[in-house]
Amino acid sequence: MILDNVENLVRPVFPFTAIVGQEEMKLALILNVIDPSIGGVMIMGDRGTGKSTTIRAIADLLPEIPIVADDPFNSHPSNLELMSEETKQNFIKNISIATKYIKVPMIDLPLGATEDRLCGTIDIEKALKDGVKTFEPGLLAKANRGILYVDEVNLLDDHLVDLLLDSAASGWNTVEREGISIRHPARFVLVGSGNPEEGELRPQLLDRFGMHAEIRTVKDPSLRVQIVEQRSQFDKNAQEYLSESLTNQEELKTAILNAQNILPDVELDYDFKVKISQVCSQLDVDGLRGDIVTNRAAKAFAAYENRSNVTQSDIEKVITLCLRHRLRKDPLETIDSGDKVSKVFKEVFN
């Protein structure tokens, strides 16, 4: 039993850079890691297309982060915006804070999760034993400064999706339970995946996801064989396969870190901002989320390309991902929503 637990702790993860195809999904995940304020990714596609594998791979790729030791909210040791109230008070009073490094948290939200499991609740055992009301953190606390993954998000209860999206948008989780009021940071990259055949997400909820990636089963036989052989090699000798991918993994990790550092200095010309809004207007996109997310994603892509100015090709690369899920559905429409975004982009920009 103990051996099994040890194996689970060190279970190897398939390397992100070795994943063949699904470029749209990979790019959306990378951009959200560079700038979490983009607002997460909704990944819709066929079964067995490597959605879960890719999401776990990006979390495994990221460098370790510093946290306050024994803090249930993964508080940052020096950034006030990423601290729990208790840590913030200790920081302000110059009380010594013990720190440690952990891997970026990757939290799975099961379909059967309750609101208490998600947001946190009262520690009943401690209340009965010691007579004190203590907060027991939920999955939102564990996911702070990490990735929260919801598989089959289109089957999740709507009120849980609402809670998730509110926390993802505000960066905070507030819990009112039995006379206790707790507010803690909940900054995470929200990643949802699902199969459209099993039901669509409500448009107002879909709109809250920053990006939307569509993935399809690979049709090219030679590419399918390549994917199957790669997986077989990994299952046969994971450590050897990981060591062969190490150089590519380190290069991507460096590129992401560099992009995070230069992102605050990336500039987007006013003319481009106007044209992005013109595209959104012509597509009849409700609200301004589409404009905001496209601006952020274009800057993140420029930073990823190690540039301090956004180009037209940067915007072209991300605009479909940012807008396709915000278009109003017309059952009589013959053109795909992604193609529609691309067509209007070309009209406005060219």
Side-chain angles (χ1 to χ4, degrees):
M1 184 69 185
I2 294 170
L3 283 172
D4 285 347
N5 288 339
V6 170
E7 276 182 8
N8 286 337
L9 286 172
V10 294
R11 187 171 57 186
V13 177
F14 193 84
F16 186 82
T17 51
I19 293 168
V20 176
Q22 314 301 10
E23 299 306 319
E24 221 179 63
M25 169 169 62
K26 282 155 62 176
L27 178 63
L29 289 169
I30 288 169
L31 295 182
N32 271 273
V33 164
I34 292 168
D35 183 4
S37 71
I38 287 170
V41 193
M42 180 67 198
I43 301 164
M44 291 298 263
D46 304 330
R47 292 180 294 274
T49 45
K51 296 188 287 285
S52 302
T53 301
T54 309
I55 293 153
R56 286 185 176 80
I58 189 81
D60 188 64
L61 171 79
L62 300 173
E64 292 187 336
I65 56 169
I67 66 160
V68 174
D70 301 321
D71 181 279
F73 310 110
N74 301 328
S75 290
H76 196 286
S78 58
N79 186 336
L80 289 169
E81 283 293 303
L82 299 173
M83 285 182 188
S84 62
E85 288 302 318
E86 187 182 343
T87 303
K88 194 181 287 184
Q89 293 306 319
N90 290 341
F91 183 78
I92 291 167
K93 292 173 186 172
N94 284 326
I95 296 171
S96 178
I97 295 173
T99 63
K100 66 175 183 178
Y101 280 80
I102 63 162
K103 286 194 76 66
V104 168
M106 161 71 193
I107 305 298
D108 274 292
L109 177 65
L111 275 181
T114 61
E115 187 177 328
D116 284 351
R117 183 75 188 102
L118 180 65
C119 300
T121 186
I122 301 300
D123 189 335
I124 299 296
E125 190 180 335
K126 206 159 190 177
L128 294 172
K129 194 172 160 188
D130 304 331
V132 291
K133 289 178 180 175
T134 311
F135 180 67
E136 186 180 327
L139 294 176
L140 290 178
K142 291 180 180 177
N144 187 34
R145 301 176 63 210
I147 295 171
L148 182 60
Y149 174 47
V150 191
D151 194 13
E152 308 293 357
V153 68
N154 44 341
L155 303 181
L156 194 67
D157 284 347
D158 280 352
H159 80 283
L160 287 185
V161 178
D162 281 326
L163 285 169
L164 269 179
L165 293 167
D166 284 341
S167 295
S170 67
W172 292 89
N173 176 39
T174 305
V175 183
E176 305 281 350
R177 293 277 191 284
E178 313 296 333
I180 281 187
S181 179
I182 295 280
R183 185 170 180 263
H184 69 78
R187 304 282 179 95
F188 52 83
V189 175
L190 178 61
V191 182
S193 70
N195 184 349
E197 291 174 7
E198 292 163 354
E200 292 284 349
L201 209 60
R202 283 188 292 147
Q204 59 269 45
L205 295 180
L206 198 54
D207 175 64
R208 299 279 287 277
F209 281 90
M211 302 179 103
H212 185 283
E214 287 183 358
I215 52 175
R216 295 281 172 263
T217 305
V218 175
K219 300 294 182 193
D220 181 5
S222 59
L223 207 54
R224 289 171 78 115
V225 170
Q226 187 186 340
I227 293 166
V228 171
E229 288 194 341
Q230 278 188 327
R231 187 70 220 192
S232 300
Q233 286 169 18
F234 177 77
D235 291 339
K236 193 175 176 182
N237 191 334
Q239 292 309 322
E240 185 183 317
Y241 194 85
L242 287 169
S243 62
E244 286 171 5
S245 306
L246 193 60
T247 306
N248 291 338
Q249 289 279 95
E250 288 300 320
E251 281 175 7
L252 181 55
K253 191 187 289 187
T254 304
I256 289 171
L257 279 171
N258 182 54
Q260 287 172 336
N261 291 331
I262 68 172
L263 181 63
D265 302 317
V266 175
E267 297 288 336
L268 176 60
D269 288 347
Y270 180 76
D271 286 351
F272 282 155
K273 289 179 184 175
V274 172
K275 285 183 175 179
I276 288 168
S277 291
Q278 198 178 331
V279 172
C280 293
S281 179
Q282 279 188 222
L283 288 167
D284 203 18
V285 172
D286 289 333
L288 294 172
R289 277 203 190 98
D291 309 52
I292 294 166
V293 169
T294 306
N295 280 289
R296 287 175 180 166
K299 285 183 177 180
F301 187 77
Y304 180 52
E305 295 283 300
N306 199 22
R307 283 185 275 100
S308 57
N309 279 296
V310 175
T311 66
Q312 183 173 318
S313 63
D314 295 338
I315 300 166
E316 187 173 12
K317 196 83 179 172
V318 302
I319 197 164
T320 302
L321 285 166
C322 299
L323 298 183
R324 65 146 67 95
H325 56 303
R326 304 179 200 279
L327 307 192
R328 291 180 183 177
K329 289 277 189 295
D330 181 357
L332 302 174
E333 189 77 71
T334 53
I335 186 169
D336 176 71
S337 57
D339 294 336
K340 196 174 177 183
V341 174
S342 185
K343 184 183 172 201
V344 173
F345 171 85
K346 282 170 181 160
E347 285 172 10
V348 171
F349 276 77
N350 295 333

